[in-house]
Amino acid sequence: MDLETKIGQLFIYTAGKSAQVGHTERDFLRHYRPGGLIYPSGPTAHHNRQQIARYLTDLQRVNAELGLPGPLIVCVDHRGGDSSLLLPEEDGLEFPAPIAQAALGAAAEQAGEEIGAAIARDVLDVGYNLNLAPYADFLERGDIEKFVFGNSMMGADPALNAALAVGLTRGMQAAGLRTTYCVFPGGYGSLPRDPHHFVGVIDADRRTLADRYFVAPRAAFAAGVDAVMLSHFQFPALDPQSRPATFSPVIIQDVLRHEMSFDGLIMTDSIRMQGAVAVAGSRGEAAVRAVEAGADVVLCALWEERMAVAEAVRNGRISHARLDEAVERVLALKAKLAADVPGARPGPHPIDRGRMAYWIGQSMTWARRPAGWRPLKRMAAPRVLALAGWSEFLDAAGEVCGEDVRALRLTVANTRDIVVMDEEIAALLAMSEGYDCVLFGTSNRTDLELARRLHAAGRTVWVAHAGPVFEVEAAPELPVVLLSYSHGPLACRKAVEVLAGLLDAAGHVPVPLKTAAPAPASN
């Protein structure tokens, strides 16, 4: 393999949103020679299953025609919940969010295996071959500035996250999908700032790291996970120079390779995150430091990163031995990948729809519920008003409660603009006059404030919260709060079924919430 091809194999680039492979994509592959790509999926991609499958099939064909090492590593960030391949309305399969998976408690490993297998079938069907999951870093605080993960992280219990990581890894791999443990050593749910925007230092001692931070990755490594993604945070107890894990030969070589005996592929998190760039000074320097320290693949790279690494190889800063070692691990992973795109099914597997619906139902969790609370079915002909800023919750309320419910959709301005709060409350009070109960599907802190004010004005308000879990701490006065973890139609339906008394909420609160409900009990 020539030098330029070797260098290119160290990079996974972020593809655009094009649904067709043309001259631009061919020329890019010819000159960049990447090891792989991340192709957009989820709610921002605007592609259907057939478009994704056609694009990835054509891209693999062009890569082979150019004589480049294949197959391309095609990454997807599919954890479940809102971090899924396609939205349900785009004929995607609805999965429980990672935080909802953590709410399953003792059933986590079994659930993880079923969820992992369903994820694998969903993404292999259209041509992805490496999932950036299990994402088992723990979430232990709700005050993280500019937090982008929402409910796409697991809970605060490392042992429970480890069980999920094992189940997910086994399920995905048994179905043919390769896996990535994210992120090592962790810390993204532990500091008050998000690594996409800030530098972070985890001031945990060695004992704490062993007892909390290393529990899930050790379990995932033992289960045979194929790759590991590095954290951009710094761990002074591991590296006295306080380098981000991404740049730390101590963490990569001494801890990961030797202490934990991990011999798979090591990749960076997005090299464009501030946790890396602010320390290195530029994206190119960040990529060089990562490869120099022992990372095999640089994630979300473009030309600046590739040119910087190429120059570092030519001037001897990155040795040819280090380059060859990284390329060998890339090729070893490629040898395990599914090479062909089988041709997309018209939709997800029917059996997966049923099993994911079951686990979504099992994840419903009481955050708060007073003693003696009675669901709708135990009330005499209740008049019900359903409020939400999205149609899936209102549709679910109509389907479950029938003619006894009136549905009212809040506008985007009403749910986000605090300036209109007083006017909105006055209008909602007038609309809710005479109703026995208000079912409020909340999505953010402003929704919760609307619900709190309605409650303070004397309305009976029951909340099903689909937004980030810790947000419910902002409205401790609300007596009935159910965690549904997702805006998906199945999650909404299961939440309304719990409030109606047709389904027990069996989930366990997965993070340390103030004034959390006691252990699950039957309705």
Side-chain angles (χ1 to χ4, degrees), residues 320-462:
H320 282 269
R322 170 81 270 272
L323 175 63
D324 289 344
E325 177 190 42
V327 172
E328 286 172 8
R329 287 204 172 90
V330 172
L331 297 180
L333 177 62
K334 287 190 172 193
K336 300 179 184 179
L337 299 179
D340 299 322
V341 182
R345 293 165 52 91
H349 292 247
I351 190 172
D352 290 336
R353 288 190 186 276
R355 292 311 295 167
M356 294 309 101
Y358 171 76
W359 290 118
I360 289 169
Q362 290 299 109
S363 72
M364 296 292 116
T365 307
W366 287 114
R368 287 192 292 275
R369 180 181 58 161
W373 176 82
R374 296 183 305 150
L376 293 178
K377 75 174 184 179
R378 296 186 182 175
M379 298 169 65
R383 297 190 67 225
V384 180
L385 176 64
L387 299 176
W390 70 102
S391 61
E392 288 83 357
F393 184 81
L394 303 178
D395 292 344
E399 291 167 1
V400 173
C401 301
E403 61 185 21
D404 295 327
V405 68
R406 178 193 175 191
L408 177 63
R409 181 169 182 173
L410 304 174
T411 67
V412 171
N414 289 340
T415 57
R416 294 184 181 175
D417 188 354
I418 201 69
V419 175
V420 302
M421 183 72 73
D422 291 339
E423 295 177 6
E424 181 65 11
I425 286 296
L428 291 178
L429 283 172
M431 294 174 188
S432 60
E433 184 71 36
Y435 285 92
D436 300 298
C437 182
V438 177
L439 305 185
F440 205 140
T442 60
S443 180
N444 50 51
R445 293 178 187 273
T446 305
D447 288 353
L448 287 165
E449 176 62 12
L450 282 170
R452 188 193 67 78
R453 292 200 188 187
L454 278 177
H455 167 74
R459 300 294 185 261
T460 298
V461 181
W462 297 351

Side-chain angles (χ1 to χ4, degrees), residues 176-340:
L177 181 64
R178 307 333 295 179
T179 54
T180 310
Y181 179 83
C182 303
V183 291
F184 183 85
Y188 285 4
S190 302
L191 292 183
R193 290 182 166 186
D194 187 288
H196 289 80
H197 308 287
F198 303 102
V199 173
V201 180
I202 300 293
D203 244 343
D205 59 25
R206 268 275 190 169
R207 179 64 180 271
T208 302
L209 290 170
D211 291 347
R212 286 187 62 74
Y213 290 80
F214 291 172
V215 174
R218 283 191 186 277
F221 298 161
V225 74
D226 301 283
V228 61
M229 179 186 290
L230 296 167
S231 169
H232 287 320
F233 280 167
Q234 301 164 31
F235 295 79
L238 298 177
D239 184 345
Q241 295 186 38
S242 201
R243 290 168 288 197
T246 310
F247 305 153
S248 173
V250 177
I251 293 174
I252 295 173
Q253 304 293 348
D254 296 350
V255 179
L256 255 181
R257 292 294 188 204
H258 299 298
E259 183 180 329
M260 295 195 171
S261 302
F262 181 75
D263 194 40
L265 183 124
I266 296 176
M267 68 170 67
T268 72
D269 201 342
S270 170
I271 205 64
R272 301 189 156 218
M273 290 164 62
Q274 280 301 299
V277 175
V279 174
S282 70
R283 296 192 296 264
E285 176 63 18
V288 171
R289 290 189 188 186
V291 175
E292 192 176 25
D296 304 309
V297 161
V298 178
L299 195 65
C300 300
L302 289 173
W303 279 108
E304 178 183 344
E305 296 87 343
R306 191 196 188 285
M307 289 189 294
V309 169
E311 177 60 26
V313 171
R314 293 189 185 97
N315 67 27
R317 180 177 172 185
I318 295 174
S319 70
H320 282 269
R322 170 81 270 272
L323 175 63
D324 289 344
E325 177 190 42
V327 172
E328 286 172 8
R329 287 204 172 90
V330 172
L331 297 180
L333 177 62
K334 287 190 172 193
K336 300 179 184 179
L337 299 179
D340 299 322

